[in-house]
Amino acid sequence: MIAKLNEIFAPAEKLVATVNSWMTDYLLLFLLVGIGLFYTIRTRFVQVRCFGQGMKQVFGGLSLKGGKQKGGLSSFQALATAIAAQVGTGNIVGACGAILIGGPGAIFWMWVIAFLGMATIYAEAVLAQKTRVVDADGNVQGGPVYYIRSFFKGGFGKFLAGFFAVAVILALGFMGSMVQSNSIGESVGNVFGWQAGTYQWIIGLVVAVLAAVIFLGGVNRIAAVTEKMVPIMAGLYILGSLVVIFARITYVPAAFGMIFKYAFNANALIGGGIGYALKTALSQGAKRGLFSNEAGMGSTPHAHAQANVKTPHEQGVSAMIGVFIDTFIVLTMTALVVISTLYAGGPLGVEDGTYQTVVQGFAKTNLAQRAFGVVFGETFGNIFVAVCLFFFAFSTILSWNFFGKINAEYLFGKKGVKVYTVLAVVFIFAGSLFSNRFVWELTDFFNYLMVIPNVIALVCLGSLVAASAKTNGKCDLPAESEETVAEEKTEETVTEETNA
């Protein structure tokens, strides 16, 4: 039955893959790099200047018991919810897919996208804070739809915000959750040796039921779960990765060397002309970088808007640390594990033109499991990745559902939230029925649609972000200046208009 279902949707999969390829090569890369450079310059490299403040803001008073807030969340709860969305299958399955298709050099471009993305996500968090509103029940509402409407008035603003809201609901609440449950089912299937499309639906059903229980508890229950789950799951995965990396320490220098070498000379490994190979490495870095750290996509501002902080700048620098943890720590761990075991001194490190033939025996998920299996043994390697992937993917489902819920309420009111929640649970289960490739293509497509209206708004609201980023040399306090005061007045006006 499942095989027949995938056969029916095969033409749709091919069509979506073709559209995604064009959008990745000619639109996504331009938008992500462009907006990252724009805010890196406008904020005077805020990701460098304020990195220390961000680390202090996040880890200075770290607690796994943020407590229930009267309205909104604590700063750490908001960041944990954002990181739960960021640290998911993209850090394991996405990174492995980028390496398989684009070679180890794709990781270099993911680093570049993440560095620029730290400035982008600073802007998203600041704007989410500046334009958030409190409804009649005392609930905080915020995110791109609110800062889009704050700048674009009239019919165009309503259309752009509505377009973004629909894209979020489809990309994160529905299609994105399908990717997460699909990856959980596939990794568990690899543990038990199930053939694709056999018993994975059972895992999908279990995940859907667990998610439904937490969804019913609202934002505070989601925050309470993610603030505890995120540090534990990240710590477990990093510890296991470090064990593998130390066991393969003699190959680590070569692994780093391959990342930099194949970033600019990918054709030596994956074949094709220099232009084609470089484009492949770049596009995979951009595509999987977006799915991993989500900077520029407009998803995490929904969480950062909830934070109870003194100034938007505080949450902006905290948001940067989320991207840093996601890409430069967790994702890099995956890359070093895979490259140091399977590429450097491994079966995939070939430059004799046979690479495309060799990788046919690997898939996104089992690449990570086989990499850990080199040190842990095949059985424990499969189990370790399956357990980590469950926590990563499940926490992402929780956060993405929350982001979609905000937009469902924006479009349809509180009554629409119940329908949205039921459909979200159905899509979580459905993810275990379709092929891995199809669900990834679907979520990529809707992710790209989210980026377009979000980037348009980010460009237009650059002056508000630049004002928050005007800090002293140590980046501890906002600088007092006439321009800052003027921007604060602008912020008040924007907030008043949004509330109205």
Side-chain angles (χ1 to χ4, degrees), residues 182-443:
N182 181 279
S183 297
I184 293 173
E186 185 172 323
S187 65
V188 173
N190 291 337
V191 171
F192 294 103
W194 297 340
Q195 291 184 345
T198 50
Y199 302 106
Q200 282 86 345
W201 66 270
I202 298 176
I203 305 301
L205 182 61
V206 171
V207 173
V209 171
L210 290 175
V213 171
I214 298 176
F215 291 168
L216 295 175
V219 61
N220 284 301
R221 183 178 294 178
I222 292 174
V225 172
T226 56
E227 74 174 337
K228 296 173 178 62
M229 184 182 292
V230 168
I232 294 172
M233 74 178 188
L236 175 65
Y237 186 71
I238 290 171
L239 179 62
S241 299
L242 286 174
V243 171
V244 175
I245 290 169
F246 279 119
R248 300 283 294 183
I249 194 67
T250 56
Y251 294 97
V252 170
F256 274 109
M258 294 178 84
I259 291 173
F260 287 99
K261 174 183 177 181
Y262 294 127
F264 303 95
N265 189 31
N267 60 307
L269 180 69
I270 65 177
I274 295 176
Y276 165 79
L278 180 59
K279 184 187 76 171
T280 301
L282 264 166
S283 64
Q284 285 299 313
K287 179 164 63 174
R288 294 296 157 235
L290 173 69
F291 191 85
S292 176
N293 63 59
E294 302 183 31
M297 195 164 81
S299 54
T300 58
H302 298 96
H304 294 302
Q306 302 288 319
N308 293 320
V309 290
K310 294 179 180 179
T311 65
H313 172 78
E314 289 183 8
Q315 196 60 26
V317 295
S318 294
M320 297 190 313
I321 304 306
V323 174
F324 178 81
I325 292 171
D326 171 84
T327 301
F328 291 102
I329 296 180
V330 181
L331 184 141
T332 299
M333 289 290 178
T334 299
L336 291 179
V337 167
V338 169
I339 299 171
S340 68
T341 56
L342 300 179
Y343 283 81
L348 299 181
V350 295
E351 290 191 359
D352 59 1
T354 62
Y355 179 78
Q356 298 297 342
T357 302
V358 175
V359 298
Q360 289 178 5
F362 294 84
K364 298 184 184 76
T365 306
N366 76 8
L367 185 72
Q369 290 179 311
R370 290 176 69 169
F372 278 95
V374 170
V375 173
F376 291 163
E378 181 180 353
T379 300
F380 187 70
N382 286 344
I383 294 173
F384 178 79
V385 173
V387 170
C388 290
L389 195 56
F390 171 80
F391 283 110
F392 279 23
F394 189 70
S395 65
T396 299
I397 287 173
L398 299 183
S399 294
W400 280 0
N401 176 266
F402 170 54
F403 301 162
K405 177 183 176 182
I406 292 173
N407 289 275
E409 185 170 343
Y410 170 82
L411 289 175
F412 308 112
K414 294 186 181 297
K415 292 183 179 179
V417 171
K418 295 180 180 179
V419 176
Y420 162 77
T421 301
V422 172
L423 288 175
V425 172
V426 171
F427 272 90
I428 291 171
F429 171 69
S432 62
L433 305 179
F434 290 96
S435 70
N436 181 267
R437 177 179 166 83
F438 183 46
V439 295
W440 274 89
E441 293 292 353
L442 279 177
T443 196

Side-chain angles (χ1 to χ4, degrees), residues 23 27-28 31 35 39 124 127 143-152 156-169 171 296-299 301-302 407 445-461:
M23 293 182 71
L27 182 64
L28 182 68
L31 291 178
I35 196 64
Y39 272 112
E124 291 179 306
L127 291 174
V145 291
Y146 293 92
Y147 58 70
I148 288 172
R149 291 298 302 274
S150 74
F151 185 85
F152 297 103
F156 180 72
K158 188 175 182 180
F159 165 77
L160 202 63
F163 180 89
F164 177 86
V166 171
V168 170
I169 292 169
M297 195 164 81
S299 54
H302 298 96
N407 289 275
F445 174 74
F446 288 105
N447 283 348
Y448 301 161
L449 295 185
M450 286 175 59
V451 171
I452 298 170
N454 186 54
V455 168
I456 292 173
L458 289 176
V459 171
C460 295
L461 291 165

